[in-house]
Amino acid sequence: MIQFNECSFRYQGGSHNALDGISLTIEDGAFVGVTGASGAGKSTLTYAVNGLIPHHFSGDFYGSVLVNGLDTVEVKPEELSRFVGEVFQDIDSQMVSSVVEDEILFGMENFGVPHEEIGRRLQQTLSLLGIEELRRRQINSLSGGQKQKVAIAAILAMRPDVILLDEPTGELDPESSVMIFELLKTLNREFHKTVVVVEQKIMLLCSYVDRIILMENGHIAFDGPTAAVAGEADLFRAQGINIPRVTELGEKLTGMGLYHGALPLTLDGGEKMVREVLADA
Amino acid sequence: MNLLQYQPGNSFLHRLNPITKLAAAFLYGAACIISGNLFLVTALIILMILIAATAGLGGRALRLTRNLLILGALMFIIQLFFVRSGDPLLVTGGFVWVTTGGLVSALLLSLRVVAAMLPLMLLFAITEISDLCGALVKKLHVPYRYAFIVTTAFRFVPLFTSEFHDIEDAQRARGVEYDTRNIVKKVQLVAPLFVPLLTSSLRKVDAGAISAEVRGFNLRTYNSGYQQYPFHLADGAAVVLLVALIVVSAVL
Ligand SMILES: Nc1ncnc2c1ncn2[C@@H]1O[C@H](COP(=O)(O)OP(=O)(O)OP(=O)(O)O)[C@@H](O)[C@H]1O
Ligand SMILES: [Mg+2]
């Protein structure tokens, strides 16, 4: 479980709080999406969970963050990384090796996973992500989607309970983006990982996650179940987050008095709405 | 850069332990430097090219030799005029320009440079940097920190160049004309790019450091690596051969 208690953080030399009085709880097994405008503090929020704040980035830290009951100020980031793994925003510079296999081995080697176990986990992780054939490939020869899978594999091999992903689809085409979210869904539903994903593409978030957090200038502007997003569409629009088109269509149909149900967020929901409207007509 | 790139393969040379390869490259080079015999040094250059050919690197070895010979020629010319011993060879207006001693020592020096550098450069063609560093950490207990710095530096070269081209393209899109033949002008145009390049590179290095840190970099010991680098009979044989070579070149 992750618990923020009135947490604030200002980077050294920063003019304002990157995190501003954040209080929130993320239960084990949750599938949470974090969105918000550029500079809203989404990446900083993830750094507070894995202890990079305040251990790597210096600044003023107030309040507390507890991960599995451990206070992030008191334990070192490598201690926390036994529970929490993060796939960072910049896909290329987070790689520490030139070959896929070495990248996945890195964390396991460091944490002293016994060597017979390492081989097994490597194999399992590669096959879970469907990247067995990339094993000996040079990382810089991979496509964006493949690199993203390697980065996720490198984290999964360490077997964290919580996986943070910072805009994992930022440089991917729509097809690969869906593929990554399908993977996250599997990790959450079948492997019971807690997944927290920072994402600008609201449509993707709405189709997959259970809960959405909207950040604005370091504080939380919205936090609720995905279904509640449609009712607060204006909040999201104010942050420059494009509401799913089906939701906008729903708003129009409601405005015209043709539809009276809950606003849809996904294509499936949109289809149901259109069928209802047509049936009434 | 291309001439130093790793070329995957499964030859006898490729399969040697990375530490053996490193030691062999140095021993071979040492043999060339110790030797005072012009013919032996020349023979060692030719032998090196032949050895490289067994690993499918004959062409690469020839190209490297050619480039090193250009460097050698430069040193030859400088040395030629500085060493004066033996009989005068080139005399104009009573001034001795070149002596026989100078000619021989210049020739020897430049060939030694070629012969000693060649195996070191070929080392990179048959050894992956990460394997070399991995073996040094595992077998010789070189601190992982240094190995990590070296592998990272090598990994960053292509990232660095592609970043440079990105910035160059961005500038070009703003109408900056890079395709000038005027070298001074070119330098003036390219120099300002180094500041953004440096900042973005430092940011990348920091991001890499963070990623390593949260994956337990600080917990690593020399024995953490999963990859094993065992020594085989061939490694012993190679070292024996090279020591013999050193003895021969010291005697000849
Ligand atoms: N290393 C740093 N030093 C100083 N200020 C920083 C640093 N990193 C981020 N900030 C500032 O903190 C605030 C939040 O940044 P953060 O990177 O968390 O935003 P974000 O929501 O992830 O944005 P983006 O969508 O662009 O990734 C911004 O105002 C940013 O300028
Ligand atoms: Mg960010």
Side-chain angles (χ1 to χ4, degrees):
Chain A
M1 194 169 76
I2 301 166
Q3 233 177 326
F4 282 71
N5 302 310
E6 281 298 317
C7 176
S8 294
F9 182 76
R10 180 193 296 242
Y11 286 99
Q12 194 154 41
S15 56
H16 58 281
N17 285 353
L19 296 182
D20 198 16
I22 302 266
S23 289
L24 75 107
T25 302
I26 296 173
E27 306 288 345
D28 289 341
F31 192 179
V32 182
V34 178
T35 192
S38 183
K42 307 181 294 296
S43 299
T44 310
L45 187 78
T46 67
Y47 299 158
V49 178
N50 58 25
L52 285 173
I53 281 172
H55 294 284
H56 185 92
F57 294 102
S58 37
D60 302 328
F61 185 93
Y62 299 100
S64 67
V65 179
L66 301 179
V67 177
N68 281 3
L70 296 176
D71 190 320
T72 57
V73 176
E74 282 159 22
V75 296
K76 289 199 173 133
E78 53 247 40
E79 205 51 48
L80 285 169
S81 52
R82 294 180 192 276
F83 313 110
V84 183
E86 171 158 8
V87 176
F88 292 97
Q89 191 164 0
D90 185 337
I91 185 68
D92 284 306
S93 51
Q94 71 187 284
M95 301 288 181
V96 297
S97 322
S98 43
V99 177
V100 169
E101 180 180 45
D102 296 342
E103 184 69 23
I104 300 173
L105 289 173
F106 184 74
M108 291 193 280
E109 293 174 335
N110 293 344
F111 282 107
V113 177
H115 283 181
E116 26 335 323
E117 163 104 17
I118 285 189
R120 214 178 47 239
R121 274 205 213 174
L122 173 67
Q123 199 52 51
Q124 272 175 0
T125 313
L126 286 167
S127 74
L128 174 63
L129 296 189
I131 52 173
E132 289 106 322
E133 74 286 359
L134 302 183
R135 183 169 176 165
R136 293 299 310 160
R137 284 274 297 276
Q138 294 281 325
I139 290 173
N140 60 21
S141 74
L142 303 180
S143 73
Q146 289 172 324
K147 276 185 196 163
Q148 201 60 258
K149 283 186 171 181
V150 172
I152 295 174
I155 296 304
L156 279 182
M158 299 194 292
R159 303 269 169 93
D161 304 324
V162 181
I163 300 170
L164 310 168
L165 302 101
D166 197 350
E167 306 201 19
T169 71
E171 290 161 40
L172 304 189
D173 54 78
E175 203 177 320
S176 318
S177 304
V178 167
M179 178 185 81
I180 294 294
F181 268 84
E182 282 294 330
L183 176 67
L184 297 183
K185 184 166 144 188
T186 308
L187 292 177
N188 176 254
R189 300 285 192 263
E190 288 172 32
F191 295 85
H192 311 291
K193 303 284 183 197
T194 307
V195 178
V196 179
V197 54
V198 175
E199 180 59 67
Q200 303 267 12
K201 297 172 191 151
I202 188 81
M203 181 80 184
L204 263 179
L205 278 187
C206 290
S207 314
Y208 287 92
V209 304
D210 301 322
R211 170 180 171 190
I212 290 188
I213 294 171
L214 171 68
M215 291 193 68
E216 174 189 4
N217 293 329
H219 66 264
I220 293 175
F222 170 89
D223 178 3
T226 305
V229 167
E232 302 286 347
D234 288 334
L235 266 179
F236 286 78
R237 269 191 217 108
Q239 296 308 310
I241 307 280
N242 287 321
I243 277 311
R245 297 236 182 79
V246 282
T247 311
E248 291 188 332
L249 179 64
E251 286 177 331
K252 280 203 187 106
L253 291 172
T254 307
M256 291 157 74
L258 293 171
Y259 179 69
H260 309 286
L263 293 174
L265 284 165
T266 60
L267 278 182
D268 286 348
E271 185 185 331
K272 221 161 85 205
M273 169 181 74
V274 173
R275 280 186 197 283
E276 265 184 59
V277 170
L278 291 179
D280 287 350
Chain B
M1 191 59 215
N2 238 344
L3 279 176
L4 293 179
Q5 214 158 38
Y6 173 66
Q7 182 165 323
N10 200 26
S11 68
F12 174 77
L13 286 188
H14 278 93
R15 277 180 284 127
L16 286 174
N17 187 291
I19 292 176
T20 310
K21 296 182 205 175
L22 182 66
F26 273 106
L27 288 176
Y28 202 95
C32 300
I33 288 171
I34 289 171
S35 171
N37 186 320
L38 258 180
F39 297 104
L40 181 65
V41 175
T42 313
L44 284 177
I45 294 177
I46 295 169
L47 180 64
M48 193 70 242
I49 295 171
L50 293 177
I51 292 174
T54 67
L57 290 161
R60 166 108 55 126
L62 282 174
R63 263 175 293 145
L64 276 171
T65 309
R66 187 196 59 200
N67 291 1
L68 287 170
L69 278 173
I70 296 171
L71 179 72
L74 219 68
M75 301 189 66
F76 174 78
I77 292 169
I78 295 169
Q79 186 80 355
L80 191 61
F81 296 109
F82 273 95
V83 178
R84 15 201 87 255
S85 60
D87 304 322
L89 262 185
L90 180 65
V91 184
T92 51
F95 188 79
V96 180
W97 289 97
V98 177
T99 62
T100 49
L103 183 68
V104 171
S105 86
L107 208 55
L108 194 58
L109 175 82
S110 50
L111 284 180
R112 271 177 181 162
V113 167
V114 175
M117 302 265 289
L118 191 56
L120 281 177
M121 304 197 117
L122 284 167
L123 175 68
F124 293 103
I126 55 164
T127 321
E128 226 162 338
I129 300 292
S130 57
D131 279 337
L132 184 58
C133 290
L136 286 173
V137 171
K138 188 130 234 179
K139 294 291 182 195
L140 302 187
H141 302 188
V142 168
Y144 181 71
R145 200 161 287 276
Y146 300 135
F148 188 76
I149 291 171
V150 171
T151 46
T152 305
F154 271 87
R155 243 170 10 88
F156 264 89
V157 172
L159 275 181
F160 204 72
T161 31
S162 85
E163 186 95 356
F164 183 78
H165 288 305
D166 283 352
I167 297 174
E168 211 179 38
D169 283 345
Q171 296 286 87
R172 197 172 272 139
R174 289 193 220 148
V176 181
E177 192 61 63
Y178 285 108
D179 306 312
T180 169
R181 280 175 182 281
N182 182 337
I183 196 94
V184 175
K185 208 159 172 205
K186 175 112 186 167
V187 168
Q188 277 176 344
L189 285 172
V190 170
L193 300 191
F194 279 97
V195 175
L197 187 60
L198 201 66
T199 357
S200 84
S201 300
L202 283 179
R203 203 174 312 122
K204 279 193 194 305
V205 170
D206 189 49
I210 289 177
S211 153
E213 186 179 344
V214 296
R215 286 199 269 158
F217 177 86
N218 292 320
L219 303 173
R220 198 172 178 106
T221 65
Y222 69 85
N223 205 22
S224 297
Y226 176 64
Q227 229 68 262
Q228 303 294 331
Y229 300 97
F231 288 106
H232 297 293
L233 209 60
D235 293 297
V239 171
V240 169
L241 276 176
L242 279 152
V243 171
L245 179 67
I246 294 238
V247 173
V248 169
S249 62
V251 172
L252 274 183

